[in-house]
Amino acid sequence: MDLVPAPSGENPVKTPMVEVEAVDVAEQLNAEAVALEEVASEFGSDSDDSDGDDALSEDGEIIQFMRDDQLQDVPGACTLEEAMAYRKRLHDIGKAAFVEETLVRETVTAKKLCTAFGIKLPEFLDGAPDEAYHPLLAIAISREFSRRPKLSQYNTIDDAVKLLQEAKNIIVLTGAGISTSLGIPDFRSKDTGLYSKLAHLGLSDPQEVFDIHIFREDPRIFFSIAKDILPTEKKYSPTHGFIKLLQDKGKLLTNYTQNIDNIEANAGVRAEKMVQCHGSFATATCVKCNFKVPGDAIFDDIREGKVPECSACVESIATLKPQGLKRKRSSTGNQKDRKEFEDSSDEDDYEIPTPGVMKPDITFFGEDLPDEFGQRLVHHDRELADLVIVIGTSLKVAPVAEVPGILPRNVPQIYISRTPVSHTDFDIDLLGDSDVVVSELCRRAGWNLEHHMIPADEKVDITPVEGYESRHVFKVVGA
Ligand code: CNA
């Protein structure tokens, strides 16, 4: 991803929506074996465009990673404190200066330094000269350098509350998790997410439901599940209410939402405060003639699981006279479309055009995100943001998943969700139902977040996650 603002008019984040195989560090740290072919001899480069994985290939030797708590079991490894200090130093001074200060001046061996970046020392290098560890170290350094480092001064709930109170320009990045309490399934939650329910569609990968190529081939697949995401009434969750509260307090810079349910509007979040990164059901467009309608014009069809047809196409087809139609091809020609009108008396002789399908204006995998996403993020919000709150998303869909990494590294970032992510380092992780987390944060901030789903006498228990200074689990007492 281009981190340098593009010349004005160009969209720097004009990347089609894709599911990222986000490097799951948790899995890797569980001794995931990754392959190493050739490694970069690029110790001198400070460019931030390689994420370490670039130097990995399917072939070759094996690199394994270890968790920080395993450092103590490795003879000669850095202590956790040393490891943290090396990582911080790397981010402070850059790759070239870091290598100069360590390897070149021989203040530490490459072997020991590998452990600072989580490399599990491979047995095949036992007894090898220190230079043999350089390739591994190159990968480890590049990998660490491309990660946004956690800001060490933000850890506690009090820190989170203070950040909320003091911030003036908050970016809120949301995902499907903020709507699940309203009964709208997310994608990836085990057992309840949409992906877990799609086996019956015979797709090789559940995300194919939202694949533009498959939609063009057979829109029925998408419309068979679209009704599950379409909100039935104008309701919103306490988390949507929280975003509105930030707006009321003049603190909301932008809500970048990946959600397509348009529920933010129900809560009163103003259109100019929002970027619907993946579009929404609010409007729909004919795939054939581009005729646009308000989303609710096709909601009845969607709720019945029908494929909505374009009314403009239907009208123009109705005015066509048989003379205006092409003669149908012989039996060896194209197969007739199943949606041809059966009431046409000339059906046997003429090729009857079919109306286009109305596609809700949501971004499918393989389609570009709305221009506003990249433009606003890079050319406007990037400079202004003083706090980022990411809520209810697994951050697995690019380019939105890249947002935390694009913002200036000194801007604090808070993550609120049921499940932690490990491919991005947030400063504070607040785990649990987002409605519970935000209502407790508001309580502690002295803010009034009123919502019928928040019981007046709600008491929330917060427990730290062992081994993580900045990770906390929120649970309603008695729940
Ligand atoms: P996802 O990958 O399913 O992740 C959802 C995340 O939210 C997971 O980490 C869950 O653990 C977490 N979560 C679920 N419920 C809660 C809760 N009550 N409180 C806190 N955390 C919770 O979905 P993403 O949003 O990351 O993926 C982006 C996709 C999902 C976008 O393309 C959307 O268009 C798409 N989507 C949207 C909707 C919607 O508009 N409501 C529904 C389903 C999918």
Side-chain angles (χ1 to χ4, degrees):
M1 167 152 299
D2 192 355
L3 299 185
V4 183
S8 70
E10 247 177 71
N11 185 349
V13 201
K14 184 102 183 161
T15 319
M17 178 165 130
V18 288
E19 173 130 7
V20 282
E21 274 312 312
V23 179
D24 191 330
V25 178
E27 279 164 29
Q28 286 188 344
L29 296 183
N30 277 335
E32 173 219 48
V34 289
L36 161 69
E37 181 197 9
E38 245 191 339
V39 280
S41 55
E42 89 283 331
F43 279 134
S45 162
D46 265 358
S47 74
D48 201 2
D49 56 1
S50 94
D51 66 3
D53 283 347
D54 294 345
L56 303 178
S57 89
E58 297 292 303
D59 311 304
E61 307 294 347
I62 299 293
I63 306 178
Q64 291 189 318
F65 292 87
M66 59 181 173
R67 293 190 309 270
D68 281 350
D69 62 5
Q70 294 173 309
L71 278 171
Q72 58 195 6
D73 305 327
V74 181
C78 291
T79 61
L80 182 56
E81 291 68 35
E82 284 174 324
M84 299 296 224
Y86 280 127
R87 290 175 205 168
K88 180 169 184 313
R89 190 72 185 148
L90 170 64
H91 287 289
D92 286 348
I93 64 176
K95 288 195 270 187
F98 180 78
V99 171
E100 165 70 27
E101 195 173 282
T102 53
L103 287 190
V104 177
R105 288 197 210 149
E106 297 185 5
T107 54
V108 58
T109 61
K111 182 177 178 181
K112 180 170 176 180
L113 211 42
C114 277
T115 64
F117 300 112
I119 297 268
K120 195 169 174 185
L121 302 173
E123 279 180 20
F124 67 84
L125 285 181
D126 273 355
D130 199 51
E131 294 78 58
Y133 290 89
H134 285 187
L136 287 181
L137 188 57
I139 289 175
I141 286 178
S142 289
R143 215 183 169 82
E144 175 64 30
F145 193 67
S146 64
R147 253 176 112 102
R148 172 193 181 268
K150 174 186 158 17
L151 301 174
S152 56
Q153 64 271 39
Y154 304 115
N155 299 295
T156 65
I157 309 294
D158 286 348
D159 293 337
V161 171
K162 194 156 178 267
L163 282 169
L164 269 181
Q165 286 169 322
E166 292 178 356
K168 293 188 172 64
N169 286 306
I170 306 178
I171 287 182
V172 181
L173 175 60
T174 44
I178 73 164
S179 296
T180 54
S181 62
L182 302 173
I184 301 173
D186 63 8
F187 271 177
R188 295 175 185 79
S189 282
K190 205 168 164 277
D191 302 329
T192 55
L194 274 176
Y195 283 179
S196 67
K197 300 179 175 173
L198 296 179
H200 68 282
L201 292 176
L203 302 168
S204 57
D205 178 345
Q207 84 177 44
E208 288 175 356
V209 170
F210 297 92
D211 185 313
I212 191 60
H213 306 102
I214 296 196
F215 182 87
R216 287 184 190 128
E217 248 169 54
D218 188 353
R220 289 173 304 179
I221 295 178
F222 168 76
F223 285 110
S224 70
I225 67 103
K227 58 179 176 303
D228 293 337
I229 313 177
L230 194 63
T232 44
E233 26 172 320
K234 288 217 175 294
K235 54 188 178 179
Y236 62 91
S237 73
T239 309
H240 294 95
F242 170 70
I243 300 166
K244 163 74 161 52
L245 187 66
L246 294 179
Q247 172 183 285
D248 293 345
K249 291 187 176 294
K251 289 172 179 283
L252 181 64
L253 181 59
T254 305
N255 176 197
Y256 289 88
T257 179
Q258 298 169 90
N259 292 350
I260 49 186
D261 56 24
N262 209 27
I263 289 178
E264 298 81 4
N266 297 351
V269 180
R270 293 199 303 273
E272 67 269 22
K273 284 283 166 196
M274 264 177 51
V275 175
Q276 293 181 308
C277 307
H278 298 163
S280 85
F281 279 102
T283 53
T285 306
C286 171
V287 295
K288 252 187 192 169
C289 73
N290 289 329
F291 181 61
K292 226 182 219 325
V293 295
D296 52 16
I298 61 166
F299 283 178
D300 284 347
D301 279 346
I302 294 182
R303 291 203 176 100
E304 286 167 36
K306 285 191 199 154
V307 176
E309 288 180 340
C310 171
S311 56
C313 285
V314 169
E315 227 171 80
S316 68
I317 290 167
T319 61
L320 283 178
K321 300 249 159 35
Q323 307 88 283
L325 302 176
K326 281 195 224 138
R327 278 244 168 230
K328 207 161 82 176
R329 294 200 199 159
S330 68
S331 53
T332 54
N334 284 349
Q335 211 189 334
K336 268 172 54 183
D337 191 297
R338 63 177 170 271
K339 285 196 291 296
E340 282 181 1
F341 296 114
E342 276 155 19
D343 57 353
S344 166
S345 54
D346 298 300
E347 189 190 3
D348 290 341
D349 299 326
Y350 295 96
E351 214 171 71
I352 311 289
T354 55
V357 170
M358 296 306 294
K359 175 183 168 292
D361 290 333
I362 61 179
T363 311
F364 278 49
F365 289 111
E367 290 189 302
D368 282 341
L369 269 67
D371 281 348
E372 195 197 359
F373 166 68
Q375 291 292 351
R376 179 158 173 161
L377 182 68
V378 177
H379 296 302
H380 185 261
D381 290 359
R382 195 170 185 269
E383 294 311 315
L384 292 176
D386 55 7
L387 177 62
V388 179
I389 311 178
V390 177
I391 319 179
T393 169
S394 63
L395 281 183
K396 289 210 165 145
V397 178
V400 173
E402 316 287 340
V403 171
I406 288 172
L407 296 164
R409 291 184 166 189
N410 61 335
V411 177
Q413 303 199 0
I414 297 174
Y415 182 68
I416 300 173
S417 189
R418 281 184 186 151
T419 354
V421 290
S422 45
H423 52 280
T424 305
D425 284 326
F426 291 98
D427 301 313
I428 310 177
D429 293 307
L430 306 176
L431 305 181
D433 286 351
S434 63
D435 294 344
V436 173
V437 176
V438 298
S439 63
E440 182 61 15
L441 288 178
C442 287
R443 228 169 265 132
R444 291 179 182 227
W447 297 352
N448 191 15
L449 177 63
E450 273 182 32
H451 193 286
H452 69 275
M453 287 165 68
I454 307 174
D457 57 351
E458 184 177 78
K459 293 252 171 329
V460 175
D461 203 21
I462 305 177
T463 45
V465 177
E466 214 187 312
Y468 295 88
E469 206 186 344
S470 57
R471 201 170 268 189
H472 313 272
V473 175
F474 287 57
K475 257 202 186 121
V476 172
V477 174

